[in-house]
Amino acid sequence: MITVRCFAVVREILGCDTRSLVAATTPQRASDILAALAGARVADLPKPLLVAINCEHASLTSLVHDGDEVAFFPPVSGG
Amino acid sequence: MITVRCFAVVREILGCDTRSLVAATTPQRASDILAALAGARVADLPKPLLVAINCEHASLTSLVHDGDEVAFFPPVSGG
Amino acid sequence: MIIRLQTEDFDAEREAQALDVKGAGARVSFVGTVRDTAQDRTITALEIEHYPEMTHAELSRIGASAQARHNLQEVLIIHRYGRLACHERIVLVTVWSAHRAEAFAGCQAIVDALKTRAPFWKKEISPEGALWVPGQTPQDLK
Amino acid sequence: MIIRLQTEDFDAEREAQALDVKGAGARVSFVGTVRDTAQDRTITALEIEHYPEMTHAELSRIGASAQARHNLQEVLIIHRYGRLACHERIVLVTVWSAHRAEAFAGCQAIVDALKTRAPFWKKEISPEGALWVPGQTPQDLK
């Protein structure tokens, strides 16, 4: 099982903040998980789109394994 | 009249903190005023020796006019 | 190193005293507050969303990296989230070091890293409506 | 701009709040404290002598110069003198600016200028005796 989390405008566009996915095969690229989650709305998402895997910055080409938590969000603005 | 002020180790070596001098002629160089004030003890003073005239950084070659306040002190250490 | 994420306000001096770092010589603090205008729009409040688990992990990595690189004796980071009115404090970064140059460099490195790496997102609330603040991408992902 | 020379301690946060600077966005503070060792000698106290009239004038010049150069909205400098025990606070420099880079640069410029221009002299008191701390000469006089 893979946990998917969405934040900020990504959350608003996709209409969900947390979802559990049972992936047929793992590992998968983060971009494949996003495509399955977003469908046609992938075109509406902000660019660049940031990715974190298990709470560390990653990228759309990073591999997500069974048990991982993958998060999608727009560029950050702390401080 | 010229007011002379000494601080820190200069004050300790010369044994005075404030003195009023009536100068025969003005302007005088700060170094001349110091020579008159320190006498032989001028050799004991720290080098470099800093000078301020009317509360602004100056140098030993700066001119001191009647009515001025001239100060002699070692390098500073604020903060 | 102390990392705190909270909705409540903080008192920078009291937080520093509580840590009671001895013999550091230099302490540098940064406090960021909600500005009242942005691109000529009046801002009444800021809504700050974050990714709690990752925020804590990322702030710890940022603090530890600055601590090692700039010889910091101690690091304190407090970041608020939720809805903050204009002029309210958002973030406090305080560092202690033996020397002032390291303290300034270390504090600034942490604040800069917060801007580009910490998973916070801000929505500016103004009379005309709400607008997401454009964010930044970590340098190593560009 | 607020410049204060005093023997009493200060509370950095209360001093900042009292100034009540609105809409600055960034506030950077430096606090310097008496260190407990110097060149492996134990320091029990610091005696700080200054040239009151010139100190006030010089700190005002230092503050005004940084304010203009780094776009600071407000500057606060509090410097203590007299006898301070080890770990006591010596100096507070707080600056406010719209942007963090200017606030860091402005605060650091003031602290650096204090070290080389402000007429203070320090005597370190240790169990072995008292020793004047070597000072610095302003760059423009070298």
Side-chain angles (χ1 to χ4, degrees):
Chain A
M1 202 185 69
I2 290 164
T3 305
V4 183
R5 299 182 72 172
C6 299
F7 293 94
V9 72
V10 176
R11 172 179 53 71
E12 291 179 341
I13 291 169
L14 299 185
C16 77
D17 55 4
T18 305
R19 186 171 297 184
S20 297
L21 294 180
V22 179
T25 57
T26 56
Q28 290 192 25
R29 285 182 172 209
S31 55
D32 294 332
I33 294 173
L34 180 69
L37 184 78
R41 289 166 305 179
V42 79
D44 303 330
L45 294 175
K47 285 186 185 62
L49 188 77
L50 303 193
V51 178
I53 297 174
N54 299 330
C55 294
E56 291 204 40
H57 286 290
S59 76
L60 282 166
T61 56
S62 300
L63 291 177
V64 181
H65 295 81
D66 194 40
D68 282 353
E69 174 169 299
V70 58
F72 300 102
F73 45 79
V76 302
S77 173
Chain B
M1 201 186 68
I2 291 166
T3 305
V4 183
R5 299 182 72 173
C6 299
F7 292 95
V9 74
V10 176
R11 171 179 53 70
E12 290 179 342
I13 291 169
L14 300 185
C16 77
D17 55 4
T18 305
R19 186 171 297 185
S20 297
L21 294 180
V22 178
T25 56
T26 57
Q28 290 192 25
R29 284 185 175 209
S31 55
D32 295 332
I33 294 173
L34 181 69
L37 184 78
R41 291 167 304 180
V42 79
D44 303 331
L45 294 175
K47 288 191 181 60
L49 188 77
L50 303 194
V51 178
I53 298 174
N54 299 330
C55 295
E56 290 204 41
H57 285 292
S59 75
L60 283 166
T61 56
S62 301
L63 291 176
V64 181
H65 295 81
D66 194 41
D68 282 353
E69 174 170 301
V70 59
F72 300 102
F73 45 80
V76 302
S77 172
Chain C
M1 189 166 59
I2 307 282
I3 309 285
R4 287 219 319 262
L5 296 154
Q6 61 189 43
T7 53
E8 317 88 70
D9 193 15
F10 51 80
D11 178 316
E13 186 64 28
R14 211 168 51 179
E15 298 289 348
Q17 306 271 343
L19 265 164
D20 194 29
V21 181
K22 296 287 191 203
R27 179 177 108 202
V28 171
S29 292
F30 173 87
V31 173
T33 53
V34 181
R35 289 203 273 163
D36 46 23
T37 52
Q39 281 96 44
D40 295 329
R41 290 180 313 122
T42 300
I43 304 301
T44 52
L46 202 58
E47 278 178 5
I48 303 181
E49 176 175 341
H50 75 132
Y51 178 2
E53 300 85 352
M54 180 173 173
T55 313
H56 203 283
E58 191 63 27
L59 296 189
S60 300
R61 285 189 286 263
I62 290 169
S65 161
Q67 188 158 22
R69 186 172 306 195
H70 300 283
N71 269 311
L72 307 177
Q73 291 188 23
E74 187 55 277
V75 170
L76 165 68
I77 305 174
I78 300 178
H79 203 300
R80 296 175 68 191
Y81 60 91
R83 190 183 179 101
L84 304 181
C86 81
H87 303 148
E88 279 200 73
R89 284 173 281 275
I90 304 170
V91 63
L92 168 68
V93 176
T94 302
V95 308
W96 287 258
S97 182
H99 303 289
R100 68 187 194 282
E102 291 175 330
F104 275 110
C107 188
Q108 188 156 17
I110 292 172
V111 176
D112 287 349
L114 282 179
K115 297 275 171 193
T116 57
R117 301 197 69 88
F120 291 96
W121 302 276
K122 296 171 182 159
K123 204 179 234 182
E124 286 171 347
I125 314 298
S126 74
E128 302 93 57
L131 211 63
W132 286 106
V133 177
Q136 297 190 48
T137 305
Q139 283 294 332
D140 53 6
L141 296 178
K142 273 181 181 164
Chain D
M1 188 164 60
I2 308 281
I3 309 285
R4 285 220 319 264
L5 295 154
Q6 61 188 44
T7 53
E8 317 88 69
D9 193 15
F10 50 79
D11 179 317
E13 185 63 29
R14 212 170 49 181
E15 298 290 348
Q17 307 270 342
L19 266 165
D20 194 30
V21 181
K22 296 288 193 202
R27 180 177 109 202
V28 171
S29 292
F30 174 86
V31 174
T33 53
V34 180
R35 288 203 273 163
D36 47 22
T37 53
Q39 281 95 45
D40 295 329
R41 290 180 314 123
T42 300
I43 304 301
T44 52
L46 203 58
E47 277 176 7
I48 303 181
E49 175 175 342
H50 75 131
Y51 179 2
E53 301 83 352
M54 180 173 173
T55 313
H56 203 281
E58 191 62 30
L59 296 190
S60 299
R61 287 189 285 264
I62 289 168
S65 160
Q67 189 159 21
R69 186 172 305 196
H70 299 285
N71 268 310
L72 306 178
Q73 291 188 21
E74 187 56 275
V75 170
L76 166 68
I77 305 175
I78 300 178
H79 204 301
R80 297 174 68 190
Y81 60 92
R83 190 184 178 99
L84 304 181
C86 82
H87 303 146
E88 279 201 74
R89 284 172 281 275
I90 304 171
V91 61
L92 169 67
V93 176
T94 302
V95 309
W96 287 258
S97 182
H99 303 288
R100 71 188 193 281
E102 292 174 330
F104 275 110
C107 187
Q108 189 156 15
I110 292 172
V111 176
D112 287 348
L114 282 180
K115 298 273 170 195
T116 57
R117 301 196 70 87
F120 291 96
W121 303 275
K122 296 172 183 159
K123 203 179 236 181
E124 286 170 348
I125 314 299
S126 73
E128 301 93 56
L131 212 64
W132 287 106
V133 177
Q136 297 190 47
T137 304
Q139 282 295 330
D140 53 6
L141 296 178
K142 276 184 182 165

